[in-house]
Amino acid sequence: MEFNIAFSATADDLEGLTILLCAEERALSGEAAAIVPEALFNRAADATKFSGKSLSTLDLIAPEGVASDRLMIIGLGDTTKMLEADWLKLGGKIGGAIVSSGLERATILLKRPDDQSMSIEQIMNVVSGMKLRSYKFDRYKTKKKDKDEDNEETKVCDVFVAVEDSAASTETWARESGVIDGAILARDLVNEPPNVLGPVEFADHAKALEKLGVEVEILDETEMSDLGMRAFLGVGQGSVRPPRLAVMKWMGGAKDADTLAFIGKGVVFDTGGISLKPGAGMEDMKGDMGGAAAVIGLMHALAARKAKANVVGLLGLVENMPDGNAQRPGDIVTTMSGQTVEIINTDAEGRLVLCDVLTYTSREFSPKFMINLATLTGAIIVALGHHKAGLYCNDDDLALQIAGAGRATGEEVWRMPLGPEYDKMIDSKFADMKNVGGRMAGSVTAAQFLKRFVGDTSWAHLDIAGTAMGSPQTEVNKSWASGYGVRLLDRLVRDNYE
C-alpha cells in the first residue's frame, strides 16, 4: 500500500480510519477526547486492559458515536521518556495500522496527550516511520494482496496528518521525504535479484542521480586497470559481468569546505569464488552490496534535501564468481597503493575491493574523513547479532559522532577494537599482508586490513553484515532489506558538517 501524505490543521473529516494518541493512564489530548465518547473509550479500555502503554493499541470497529469506520488509539507510555527514535517507531506503528486496515483514507490526530506542542522533528520522525513501514518489495509477484480487484494498481491510502503548524510540516516534509526515499532506494537495490542487478546495472542507478544534481562518473575495468586497482579487479576476473567504480559528487557546501567521503562495498553477488560458499543460503548473497546500497541511498538523500555539504560517494561494484579465470588462493596481487596481498581465501573479497577504492578516494579527494560501509564478515553477526553494526574507527571524535547519529536514528553501532596485536594476524610470509587472519577475531582483522590503506586520514569502517540484510523485523521495517545506513549517515552529516 502506498501513502499520499498531506498535513492539515484540524481533524475534521473522519471517514475511514482515525488514529488518536494516548499517554499512560489513558490520558488523551483535548481534541482526541472530543472525538471519542468517554463512555465508549472507558468501556473498551476496561475490557482490553488498555492503559496507554507504549505502542499498545485499542482498536474499535464501527465505533458508536464516531464518524470513522475504524478508530484506533495508540499508546505512547510516559511521553517524558520518549527518545527521538521512539517517535519513529510510533510512526511505524501507525503505518502498520493503516496498512492492516486496508482502508483508503486515514486521519491521524498528531497531538500530544500532555498538550505540549510536538516539535517539527518529532512530526517528521512519525511521518518517516509511517512511510518506512509502508514499504513492500513485491514487484516480482504476479498476484499481490495490496492491489485492486483487477490486479492492476497498487492500493493507495490518502493519509491526513493533523498538526499544529500544517504549513511548516508540509514545507519540511517536501524536503525530508527525500531521505526516506533514499532509504527505500537502498532497500530496493538489496532486495533485487542478482540476475537483474549486476555491476553495470547498479552503476546505471548511480547515474540516475544526475537528475537530482549529483555529478556522476563511472570508471570501467580499463580505467581501473590503468590506475593499478589489481586487488579490486582480481575479485571480478571470474565473472563475465564487468566491474565498475561509480563516483558520485554532491557539492552543496561552500567551495572551501572540507569534502566528506563515503565508500560502499558493492559485491552484487558473492559465491565466494574458488573458495566456494556452501549452497544453503547462498541466495542471500545478492545482498552483499548492502554497503553500496547505503551509499547511493545517502547520496540520494543529501541531494534531495539540498544538503549544505560537499560529499563524495564511491561504489566498488563487482561480482565474485568461480571460473577458469577466477582468482586463486595463493595468488599475490598488487593494490593501487603499491602494497601486496596474498590471497588466502577468495571469499574474503570485499576488503580487496574496498582497499583500492580507499586509496583512490584518499588520493583523488583528500577528504576530511572516509567512512566505508560493507557487509564484510559473518564474524560481526556472531559478535553483535542483527541489532547493531560493528564500528571500527581511528578517530575518537568521529566515532562519537557516528554513535550519536546511530542513537538518534535507531540505526545503532557498537565500537569494536583495533590494535597492533590484531594487525600482526594478517602479516604474510610471501607478501605485505594476507587477506584473512584466521577464524579468531575475523571482523577485527578485516578492519585491520582496511586500516592499512587509509594513511593519516580519519576513517571509520561499518561492518553491516548483520543489519543491512536479513535484518530483524521492527516497527519501521518488515522487509528483508533494511536500508541500514542511509538515515544514520544523513544524520551524521546534518548534525556535524552542515
Side-chain angles (χ1 to χ4, degrees), residues 184-442:
I184 288 173
L185 170 61
R187 288 182 180 181
D188 279 343
L189 291 171
V190 175
N191 279 325
E192 281 286 4
N195 59 316
V196 171
L197 190 70
V200 172
E201 292 79 11
F202 203 127
D204 289 340
H205 282 280
K207 199 70 174 172
L209 295 186
E210 290 180 334
K211 66 180 182 292
L212 294 177
V214 179
E215 182 183 344
V216 182
E217 180 183 9
I218 308 298
L219 279 64
D220 63 20
E221 61 270 39
T222 300
E223 292 167 302
M224 287 188 280
S225 179
D226 290 343
L227 289 167
M229 294 184 169
R230 307 298 177 197
F232 186 156
L233 293 173
V235 174
Q237 69 188 43
S239 174
V240 297
R241 304 162 100 177
R244 292 290 184 266
L245 174 61
V247 183
M248 303 167 288
K249 304 174 188 176
W250 171 256
M251 297 295 157
K255 288 185 178 181
D256 60 348
D258 291 324
T259 298
L260 317 177
F262 299 92
I263 298 153
K265 170 190 171 184
V267 179
V268 296
F269 192 76
D270 180 22
T271 65
I274 296 299
S275 305
L276 191 68
K277 293 178 180 291
M282 193 191 287
E283 67 276 8
D284 286 352
M285 288 300 98
K286 70 176 185 176
D288 207 16
M289 30 59 68
V295 172
I296 193 174
L298 170 67
M299 297 306 291
H300 182 287
L302 296 174
R305 69 174 183 81
K306 306 300 181 188
K308 295 179 180 179
N310 296 332
V311 181
V312 294
L314 296 96
L315 316 176
L317 306 171
V318 68
E319 183 175 53
N320 186 23
M321 297 288 282
D323 179 81
N325 192 49
Q327 186 166 251
R328 296 159 290 264
D331 285 358
I332 293 178
V333 296
T334 302
T335 67
M336 184 180 175
S337 70
Q339 299 177 88
T340 56
V341 180
E342 180 188 8
I343 307 302
I344 302 298
N345 188 323
T346 64
D347 193 24
E349 84 298 332
R351 65 203 71 181
L352 300 175
V353 174
L354 291 172
C355 71
D356 278 343
V357 184
L358 286 165
T359 300
Y360 176 86
T361 304
S362 178
R363 292 181 181 178
E364 193 73 14
F365 299 106
S366 300
K368 180 176 180 61
F369 64 65
M370 297 188 292
I371 298 177
N372 67 257
L373 296 90
T375 51
L376 205 63
T377 69
I380 200 65
I381 303 177
V382 175
L384 299 178
H386 294 274
H387 300 285
K388 290 179 173 64
L391 166 64
Y392 297 87
C393 191
N394 65 0
D395 182 325
D396 290 342
D397 290 336
L398 179 60
L400 287 171
Q401 291 171 357
I402 294 171
R407 286 190 296 272
T409 58
E411 295 189 335
E412 295 196 64
V413 301
W414 189 264
R415 193 170 184 185
M416 301 287 285
L418 293 165
E421 61 274 21
Y422 297 108
D423 195 51
K424 291 178 182 178
M425 295 171 68
I426 57 171
D427 286 339
S428 166
K429 295 179 182 178
F430 306 106
D432 295 327
M433 69 196 84
K434 53 189 178 181
N435 73 327
V436 293
R439 288 180 57 84
M440 305 301 290

